[in-house]
Amino acid sequence: MKAERELALGLAFISPILIGFSVFTIYPMVASLYYSFCSYDVLSPPRWIGLGNFRELLTDPLYRKALWNTVSFTVFAVPVTIVTALALAMLLNLKLRGQALYRTIFFLPSIVPIVASSVLWLWLLNKDYGLINFALRPVLGLLNTTFGLSLEAPGWLTSPEYAKPALVLMAAWGVGGSMILYLAALGDVPKQLYEAADIDGAGAWHKARHVTLPMISPVLFFTLIMGLITTFQYFAQPMVLWPNGAPGDSGLFYALYLFQNAFIYLRMGYASAQAWILFLVIVVITVFVFRGTRRFVYYGGEA
Amino acid sequence: MGVRSARPGGDFSKAPRPRGAWIARNPAVPWQGHACYTPAMRKSLIFMRNSLVALGAIGLVAFLVFARPGGLSGDDGRTRIQLWHPWGGPMLEAYQRNIDAFNAARDDVAVRGLYVPNDMSSNQKFFTAVIGNCAPDVIFVDGPQVAEWAERGLLLPLDDLLREAGYDVEQLRSEFYAPCWEQCVYRGNVWALTFCADPNFCFFWNKNAIRSGIAAGDIDAAVVDPERPPATVAELDAWNRAVTKARQTSTGPQLERLGLVPWGVYGNANSIFTWGVAFGGSFYRDDPQAPRVTANDPRNVAALDWMAQYARQYGYGRISSLQSSFGSAEQNPFILGKQVIQLGHLSMIADLEQYAPDLEVGMSPIPQGPGGEPNPAWVGGWTLAIPAGVTDPVRRRAALDFILWSCASNEGTSLEVRTSRNLPAWRPSPFFAEVRARQDEPRMRRLVPFLDILETSRYQRPVMPAQARYMDELSRAVDRVVRGDTNPATGRPWTAEEALREATQRTQRHLDLMLERSRGQR
């Protein structure tokens, strides 16, 4: 009797999340799975078309372009941001005067709203008047005169070849979030291990490679997985940088094309099919990463 | 610094318990016991709890103070209707004066305006409102969207309502400027009335910049006469050649002054549409059985070829980097004399007045393309419509009255001009006589070329569903061609014909799917 009452009470207490999860997560997921097999424009009832949407995806060049953009961007952006964040965290972990100040400064970009920072980068990346090229131009000029080259400052946002490097640059600037995680992990590496390594005569490199990296590997792993997932869903920055579409569709990312189909062209079924493929891609990659990195991740709590 | 002073593991059971410290009430449960919490932790937990309570209290008080019974019910016997409009920011207050004036003129209807913007790419709120049966009673619709919203069953046809209200639809038709009426007519019904007419575009040139260029010897006065604008695209080409100026830098040439950038007409899609019309092209053939998208009309292809020619001649990258260095308002490259020719929208007049009152500019019609007609401008603009689902005849009538007052009444159209500087689409508006009478004012003088467009233009965006898709595909085609992208199918740069053919096919497919769906539902 008492157990039943407690169960009921317990369920009542967690009912907000139960209801919320069912209504706002499970139902939409199931519904979108159903819609992915339908022609559905939101305004009238969905009509079953079987695999029609998936078949169309196979032959849609824009879809392929969006998928390619997203995959290639992920391949570059995720490692670059992890390395940048880790390097920053290691530097900021040095016991220096003003450590807290430096940490704050490097964390600041991540509290700037995405739209605001994107607008800022719009200026920084300007070909003729942006600060990035302002810094780059003397270097290029020197290279040109010394080696007789004719390098030009890149049009970061105006030429398709430089669109993704520009976005990677932006991503590397906003790594404060994972930097904080690494700082916490670095602070958690037991001192004895470094002492032991010192006694064994290990240098800075060997300590980093054989003590620090293994000890923070769970956090690295976590940021890798999260980075993959969020980068596959990359949306806001290209939307702000190129409101009318990037040159050569270079800014057409998966989530952006999905959004266009769902909410602008009102092809909700087609967009649902895209969403499910994205979901499967992320699941497969995550499983793959889990399997592939198992050997390299060390959990202190494991036997 | 309280956290530092805490000594973990100390015995705190004898410490005086802070008042109301329920957090540490039950010593029997270990994780709630005294021993687990240092005084500092307890203090911060209590602080957090008190803050939450205080915040909640403030919220409740604020709610009680500021919440007013809203909604559409009134006890004054007026029919209250809701309007969604796109005039936000500084325009909000200006537009509200229109609503207030209508409400003051009527004692049986009260309109409540709400800023809910929509455009080609952000109409989700309205769509969900219609499905959810909570749409407003009147809504602003961008002209090119009317057909799609009608096709999707989101709007009420106005013909019968107009007739019931005692209006002669044919008479009304003759009172509106032709493109403004035509953009609201789809499949034989009238779905909206045009609120403001957007004459797109006028040919502007910066006389000061051209004169100083001539004085400095870098513009050939034999080619460019600042008092005699180019009348044809060929003459425009000559002007462009004469005014373009580049400077050598260590990293290559940099453009310093440009003429008219053909794809710089308010985005790629507006550019190809404008030049396509100038070259005599057509974009859509409205056959009720099999409507055809005709983006690859040979004259549109010729227009895009001409645009691409300009890109090749002056370098796409150099042009776009010059353009991206400037913005709107006082950063406008036209005002700064960096881009001395431009096709301008009505809003140019207000911009010039505000940011460059002393700048001398010339205004004339868009140059005529080969195969086109003189002054090939087209007209767009916002319309007002009644959403589907407004079933109550009293509210329908109130909504229709508001639309007619806004779009086709002396008071409404005159006020519209004063508050939001839009042009009415309704010929009998007293505003037009006023413009002709006040030609001594520069602003009124500058309006005349735009009024000429309204009088003469026969063009509007194709009245068709799938407009948003069409514009995206046109934009993509222009981008591919002017930038000289490689067509993966041929391995060579996209030709204008290939790019426009693909835009045609993709839009046609989207259109067919949409029509098949909505016809299938009926």
Side-chain angles (χ1 to χ4, degrees):
Chain A
M1 220 34 218
K2 198 178 168 227
E4 268 172 40
R5 249 200 68 203
E6 275 191 356
L7 179 67
L9 210 59
L11 284 176
F13 270 112
I14 61 166
S15 61
I17 183 66
L18 284 184
I19 295 171
F21 189 68
S22 325
V23 172
F24 295 113
T25 305
I26 298 186
Y27 166 71
M29 279 188 76
V30 173
S32 74
L33 182 61
Y34 171 67
Y35 295 147
S36 67
F37 296 103
C38 294
S39 161
Y40 180 42
D41 67 356
V42 189
L43 300 170
S44 47
R47 199 184 65 221
W48 185 266
I49 53 166
L51 289 174
N53 288 326
F54 294 93
R55 228 171 301 156
E56 187 180 341
L57 283 177
L58 287 180
T59 56
D60 181 348
L62 282 183
Y63 175 73
R64 245 174 303 168
K65 179 87 190 173
L67 187 62
W68 166 246
N69 281 340
T70 310
V71 169
S72 57
F73 176 65
T74 307
V75 166
F76 282 102
V78 171
V80 167
T81 50
I82 288 183
V83 169
T84 315
L86 186 59
L88 267 179
M90 285 181 158
L91 284 176
L92 293 174
N93 204 33
L94 298 176
K95 302 273 178 290
L96 288 176
R97 203 195 313 188
Q99 189 196 39
L101 181 70
Y102 293 127
R103 288 183 175 185
T104 312
I105 290 174
F106 281 99
F107 181 67
L108 272 180
S110 28
I111 56 170
V112 179
I114 292 179
V115 173
S117 69
S118 305
V119 170
L120 187 75
W121 277 95
L122 214 52
W123 285 98
L124 292 177
L125 293 168
N126 181 286
K127 185 179 178 194
D128 285 346
Y129 297 87
L131 278 180
I132 306 274
N133 281 358
F134 182 75
L136 216 52
R137 218 168 271 122
V139 182
L140 293 177
L142 192 68
L143 288 175
N144 287 351
T145 44
T146 352
F147 299 106
L149 303 170
S150 54
L151 298 172
E152 255 189 75
W156 294 99
L157 300 174
T158 47
S159 57
E161 307 80 43
Y162 286 102
K164 275 187 253 337
L167 292 172
V168 171
L169 204 62
M170 282 174 65
W173 177 76
V175 292
S178 32
M179 184 192 82
I180 287 286
L181 291 178
Y182 295 148
L183 271 175
L186 288 172
D188 221 22
V189 180
K191 221 179 235 147
Q192 310 88 285
L193 295 181
Y194 289 118
E195 285 165 5
D198 277 335
I199 291 166
D200 290 343
W205 162 250
H206 283 101
K207 275 191 279 185
R209 169 73 187 77
H210 295 288
V211 178
T212 314
L213 279 184
M215 289 311 285
I216 66 165
S217 58
V219 176
L220 281 175
F221 177 66
F222 170 77
T223 50
L224 171 65
I225 298 282
M226 295 314 283
L228 283 173
I229 293 175
T230 49
T231 314
F232 264 104
Q233 298 173 358
Y234 198 62
F235 177 79
Q237 288 87 340
M239 184 88 162
V240 177
L241 290 182
W242 299 287
N244 301 315
D249 287 321
S250 55
L252 188 71
F253 283 81
Y254 200 107
L256 207 61
Y257 189 50
L258 191 157
F259 172 84
Q260 284 180 354
N261 273 301
F263 296 107
I264 300 179
Y265 308 145
L266 289 191
R267 298 194 59 199
M268 197 56 86
Y270 193 52
S272 299
Q274 289 180 26
W276 272 90
I277 293 192
L278 180 63
F279 177 67
L280 293 179
V281 167
I282 291 180
V283 166
V284 167
I285 289 183
T286 309
V287 167
F288 188 74
V289 172
F290 256 94
R291 290 267 163 89
T293 58
R294 188 176 287 163
R295 266 166 26 82
F296 303 104
V297 182
Y298 168 76
Y299 293 98
E302 277 175 357
Chain B
M1 288 293 115
V3 179
R4 290 259 170 84
S5 66
R7 281 171 294 117
D11 181 9
F12 300 104
S13 55
K14 303 220 168 54
R17 181 190 288 189
R19 211 159 54 84
W22 49 264
I23 294 160
R25 192 170 293 156
N26 187 359
V29 182
W31 42 268
Q32 280 190 353
H34 299 85
C36 285
Y37 291 105
T38 65
M41 289 166 86
R42 198 186 288 157
K43 227 179 186 171
S44 78
L45 282 170
I46 291 167
F47 172 75
M48 282 198 279
R49 182 201 61 186
N50 291 347
S51 312
L52 277 177
V53 171
L55 272 179
I58 293 171
L60 189 68
V61 170
F63 177 76
L64 293 176
V65 170
F66 294 107
R68 292 210 187 88
L72 302 168
S73 59
D75 45 15
D76 53 2
R78 289 177 162 209
T79 305
R80 285 171 193 264
I81 58 171
Q82 202 177 51
L83 158 75
W84 283 7
H85 65 74
W87 316 107
M91 294 289 285
L92 181 65
E93 221 170 298
Y95 182 69
Q96 183 61 40
R97 284 170 53 201
N98 292 259
I99 301 177
D100 292 343
F102 175 80
N103 288 344
R106 293 284 292 253
D107 54 11
D108 57 335
V109 180
V111 176
R112 188 162 151 251
L114 203 57
Y115 169 58
V116 185
N118 70 76
D119 61 30
M120 296 262 191
S121 54
S122 63
N123 35 34
Q124 300 88 358
K125 213 173 259 184
F126 175 64
F127 290 178
T128 36
V130 173
I131 309 163
N133 233 340
C134 54
D137 303 285
V138 192
I139 181 144
F140 271 91
V141 191
D142 194 7
Q145 290 272 74
V146 172
E148 174 151 346
W149 290 19
E151 176 69 38
R152 291 190 185 274
L154 295 162
L155 300 178
L156 282 183
L158 299 182
D159 318 62
D160 288 344
L161 295 178
L162 284 168
R163 256 172 240 125
E164 279 163 29
Y167 281 85
D168 177 353
V169 178
E170 275 311 303
Q171 167 70 26
L172 206 55
R173 172 202 178 96
S174 67
E175 288 173 7
F176 276 86
Y177 289 113
C180 301
W181 182 265
E182 288 308 319
Q183 69 173 353
C184 303
V185 179
Y186 179 70
R187 296 278 172 267
N189 285 107
V190 183
W191 301 89
L193 293 183
T194 300
F195 172 71
C196 55
D198 246 352
N200 296 329
F201 298 96
C202 263
F203 182 88
F204 285 80
W205 68 102
N206 183 331
K207 289 188 182 176
N208 294 29
I210 289 177
R211 281 202 200 104
S212 59
I214 292 175
D218 54 23
I219 294 180
D220 183 357
V223 180
V224 178
D225 174 356
E227 299 308 323
R228 210 187 65 84
T232 65
V233 166
E235 288 173 35
L236 171 62
D237 283 336
W239 268 48
N240 276 338
R241 267 194 303 278
V243 301
T244 304
K245 187 176 142 198
R247 178 170 64 98
Q248 283 301 323
T249 68
S250 65
T251 52
Q254 194 171 323
L255 287 171
E256 293 218 305
R257 189 177 56 213
L258 277 176
L260 193 150
V261 179
W263 58 91
V265 188
Y266 302 87
N268 282 348
N270 278 326
S271 304
I272 180 64
F273 184 69
T274 304
W275 294 117
V277 172
F279 277 65
S282 118
F283 285 80
Y284 182 65
R285 203 177 64 236
D286 190 16
D287 176 339
Q289 255 58 56
R292 299 309 322 160
V293 175
T294 58
N296 57 343
D297 177 317
R299 292 175 176 186
N300 297 338
V301 172
L304 185 51
D305 264 333
W306 170 74
M307 292 165 72
Q309 173 58 36
Y310 184 93
R312 279 195 295 273
Q313 196 167 344
Y314 302 104
Y316 176 85
R318 295 184 218 301
I319 297 165
S320 57
S321 69
L322 177 77
Q323 285 183 315
S324 65
S325 314
F326 300 96
S328 49
E330 58 268 74
Q331 300 263 4
N332 183 329
F334 178 78
I335 287 178
L336 296 176
K338 294 285 177 186
Q339 206 176 314
V340 297
I341 320 173
Q342 194 183 342
L343 293 194
H345 178 251
L346 186 61
S347 57
M348 273 283 276
I349 298 179
D351 283 351
L352 288 169
E353 207 175 308
Q354 187 173 356
Y355 303 113
D358 300 326
L359 190 69
E360 252 196 274
V361 300
M363 288 174 70
S364 71
I366 300 174
Q368 179 183 1
E373 293 170 8
N375 201 355
W378 52 283
V379 184
W382 284 96
T383 71
L384 274 165
I386 306 180
V390 182
T391 45
D392 175 11
V394 181
R395 302 170 76 87
R396 276 188 187 181
R397 182 57 202 270
L400 185 73
D401 284 355
F402 177 73
I403 293 177
L404 284 162
W405 181 87
S406 301
C407 307
S409 79
N410 288 345
E411 195 196 350
T413 56
S414 317
L415 191 62
E416 168 192 359
V417 179
R418 278 205 297 282
T419 56
S420 50
R421 292 195 156 187
N422 287 312
L423 292 180
W426 189 59
R427 269 202 192 92
S429 172
F431 171 71
F432 295 112
E434 198 185 320
V435 175
R436 310 272 178 200
R438 284 165 56 191
Q439 281 300 296
D440 47 326
E441 298 168 37
R443 176 175 136 70
M444 292 298 176
R445 265 201 310 277
R446 283 179 178 166
L447 275 177
V448 173
F450 284 106
L451 300 193
D452 290 343
I453 295 175
L454 292 186
E455 292 288 352
T456 57
S457 174
R458 295 184 292 109
Y459 307 108
Q460 68 282 327
R461 289 264 198 79
V463 184
M464 60 180 279
Q467 183 77 227
R469 183 59 177 258
Y470 201 176
M471 292 302 130
D472 283 355
E473 294 298 344
L474 284 177
S475 174
R476 179 168 287 123
V478 172
D479 177 64
R480 283 171 169 169
V481 175
V482 297
R483 277 191 321 99
D485 260 4
T486 307
N487 180 353
T490 61
R492 285 190 305 276
W494 285 91
T495 66
E497 204 277 329
E498 288 162 1
L500 286 173
R501 189 173 54 209
E502 192 176 306
T504 305
Q505 285 164 351
R506 294 180 63 90
T507 311
Q508 183 75 48
R509 207 186 110 65
H510 187 71
L511 177 69
D512 289 344
L513 268 176
M514 188 191 295
L515 294 178
E516 179 201 311
R517 266 201 72 85
S518 54
R519 306 265 146 94
Q521 298 296 335
R522 277 174 207 148

